[in-house]
């Protein structure tokens, strides 16, 4: 036991060195205490502006003392077990060490961390959606509200269809082999691979995917391979692909990017200070990994508006007094690809001058009359087509975007129709664009996330194989779809799923790079 504790403390210190500075175990413990304290009550002046109670010095000291004693966060009876996961805790590191050794731990029947995390995810969905009895992996409120239009993917549908004639093991064995064959070919010949011929819209792969390993981990939770009469559904296959991608990316990932609405927080909400992803984002940054939020939201000349949507996260950076070498790991790409922001020395967001991050050949369509005429054309079509569908809308025009917002209740299918019709109508435009259904509106943006991510990767000197994008809009009318061409992806359906996969990624990085 003594050797395990010593190994855990040493390993935690090694994690801290990945950002370039050696931190003693006692300092790491104190840092954990400060973070948990800050998460329970932000420093008074900034919280006072939001009407929250200022934490007294005595209370802060007491909270820090409690945090040093234990890092388990209090939970209600209906909440899934969760932790405030800051720097690796002793027990966390020991668990990773034991997993790496094949240690049986307590002697109870053990399951992998993917299965444990998935149980928590389903429990959370059952509680938050007030579902009775058994929870299903398709019970996400997003999918239930928007129907199957959010479930569109050629490869996933192909895998589901294969189950009609193959066992689950056979399906994922074959798909894993076919992906390996794709990666063995030169990029210019990959469209002639067996998988590409069977699924022409399969997309691009950056890694070999350990699908059988992911299936076995998922099986611990779902017994999927034992089912005889109920075939895997879309969401189950999506999760297996995501787990495999996490394992593949963890070895060399240097940049993790996130969509905002529906991925980091609920649609139409903001990044609040109790968001579970705050700790996950800071964990990645402290391991030396760049983190960026790539969003359609654009506020030219107004960094405070970007900051307002991410207030809980930015406040956490200040409360933790993140050093410059860690702050520099965070960026925001706004307006799909039109604005890049960073965190300055005052812990505020500021624009990065355009000449620092985009080259002329990538953005030679900007700042000319073509953009204005394109947006005029898009606005005219959106308003006329909304009238055609009998949807009363308000028009919102921005510097590089135009959108329509229904004035009253409408059905999701009409928004899908407007987005697809806009894509078809504007397909001959010389300006790169993205026409997408935002869930409550339809927008046409100048540029797209593929352009924005490529510019960000070039600015940070990161390759596509070292980049992982997490989003919820990879369908035909989603603004994450273009990212597939630039980086590996994780397709999530809710912020809870994002947290689940980031927990898994963090543990995998510790396994791959430290132990």
């Amino acid at each position: 036991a003594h050797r395990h504790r010593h190994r855990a403390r040493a390993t935690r210190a090694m994690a801290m060195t990945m950002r370039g500075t050696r931190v003693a175990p006692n300092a790491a413990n104190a840092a954990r205490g400060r973070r948990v304290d800050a998460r329970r009550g932000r420093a008074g002046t900034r919280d006072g502006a939001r009407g929250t109670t200022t934490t007294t010095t005595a209370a802060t000291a007491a909270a820090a003392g409690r945090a040093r004693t234990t890092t388990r966060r209090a939970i209600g009876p209906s909440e899934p077990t969760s932790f405030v996961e800051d720097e690796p805790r002793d027990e966390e590191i020991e668990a990773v060490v034991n997993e790496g050794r094949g240690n049986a731990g307590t002697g109870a029947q053990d399951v992998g961390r993917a299965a444990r995390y998935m149980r928590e995810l389903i429990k959370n969905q059952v509680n938050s959606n007030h579902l009775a009895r058994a929870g299903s992996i398709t019970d996400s409120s997003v999918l239930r509200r928007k129907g199957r239009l959010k479930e569109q993917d050629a490869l996933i549908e192909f895998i589901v269809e294969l189950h009609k004639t193959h066992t689950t093991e056979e399906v994922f064995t074959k798909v894993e082999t076919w992906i390996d064959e794709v990666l063995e070919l030169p990029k210019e010949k990959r469209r002639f691979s067996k998988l590409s011929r069977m699924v022409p819209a399969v997309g691009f792969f950056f890694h070999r995917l350990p699908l059988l390993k992911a299936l076995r981990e998922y099986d611990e939770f779902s017994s999927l391979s034992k089912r005889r009469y109920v075939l895997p559904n879309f969401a189950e296959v999506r999760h297996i692909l995501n787990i495999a991608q996490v394992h593949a990316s963890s070895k060399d990932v240097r940049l993790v990017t996130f969509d905002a609405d529906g991925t980091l927080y609920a649609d139409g909400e903001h990044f609040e200070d109790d968001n579970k992803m705050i700790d996950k984002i800071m964990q990645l940054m402290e391991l030396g990994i760049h983190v960026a939020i790539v969003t359609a939201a654009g506020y030219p000349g107004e960094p405070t508006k970007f900051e307002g949507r991410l207030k809980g996260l930015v406040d956490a950076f200040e409360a933790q007094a993140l050093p410059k070498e860690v702050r520099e790991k965070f960026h925001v790409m706004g307006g799909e690809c039109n604005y890049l922001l960073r965190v300055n020395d005052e812990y505020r967001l500021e624009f990065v001058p355009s000449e620092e991050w985009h080259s002329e050949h990538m953005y030679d369509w900007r700042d000319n009359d073509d953009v204005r005429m394109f947006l005029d054309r898009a606005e005219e079509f959106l308003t006329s087509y909304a009238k055609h569908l009998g949807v009363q809308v308000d028009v919102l025009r921005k510097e590089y975007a135009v959108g329509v917002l229904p004035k009253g209740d409408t059905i999701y299918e009409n928004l899908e129709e407007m987005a697809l019709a806009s894509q078809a109508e504007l397909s001959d435009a010389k300006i790169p664009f993205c026409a997408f259904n935002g869930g409550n509106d339809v927008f046409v943006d100048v540029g797209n996330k593929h352009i924005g991510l490529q510019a960000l990767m070039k600015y940070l000197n990161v390759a596509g194989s070292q980049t992982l994008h997490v989003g919820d809009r990879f369908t035909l009318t989603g603004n994450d779809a273009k990212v597939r061409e630039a980086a590996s992806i994780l397709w999530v359906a809710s912020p809870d799923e994002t947290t689940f996969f980031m927990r898994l990624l963090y543990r995998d990085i510790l396994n791959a790079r430290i132990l």
Side-chain angles (χ1 to χ4, degrees), residues 176-189:
E176 183 173 329
T177 301
W178 290 334
I179 292 174
D180 289 347
E181 292 173 353
V182 171
L183 291 169
E184 289 171 0
L185 294 173
K187 291 182 180 180
E188 63 273 11
K189 293 186 178 181

Side-chain angles (χ1 to χ4, degrees), residues 99 110-119 217 220 504:
E99 287 171 5
D110 289 338
V111 295
R113 59 183 179 275
R116 296 197 305 271
Y117 295 169
M118 185 62 73
R119 286 196 181 106
E217 292 178 7
E220 290 183 311
L504 200 60

Side-chain angles (χ1 to χ4, degrees), residues 341-356:
L341 298 95
R342 61 192 171 198
V343 182
N344 62 25
D345 292 339
E346 285 72 44
Y347 297 94
R348 304 274 65 86
L349 291 180
E350 65 179 15
F351 287 107
V352 180
S354 58
E355 59 270 15
E356 291 185 23

Side-chain angles (χ1 to χ4, degrees), residues 246-299:
V246 165
H247 292 329
S249 294
S250 63
K251 299 172 184 177
D252 58 2
V253 65
R254 292 182 54 213
L255 170 63
V256 179
T257 62
F258 298 93
D259 176 44
D261 288 77
T263 300
L264 291 174
Y265 43 78
D267 284 331
E269 301 295 330
H270 301 290
F271 213 126
E272 303 294 346
D273 59 5
D274 60 352
N275 192 302
K276 297 175 184 177
M277 278 300 298
I278 291 176
D279 291 312
K280 303 296 170 288
I281 288 173
M282 288 196 287
Q283 283 175 350
L284 293 174
M285 292 164 60
E286 287 169 345
L287 289 178
I289 296 170
H290 294 278
V291 174
I293 297 175
V294 183
T295 175
Y299 309 105

Side-chain angles (χ1 to χ4, degrees), residues 154-163 171-172 175 211 237 241:
L155 178 61
I156 295 178
E157 291 166 1
F158 173 72
I159 291 174
V160 171
E161 191 70 17
L162 277 178
H163 279 81
V171 169
F172 285 100
V175 174
L211 294 176
V237 174
L241 288 171

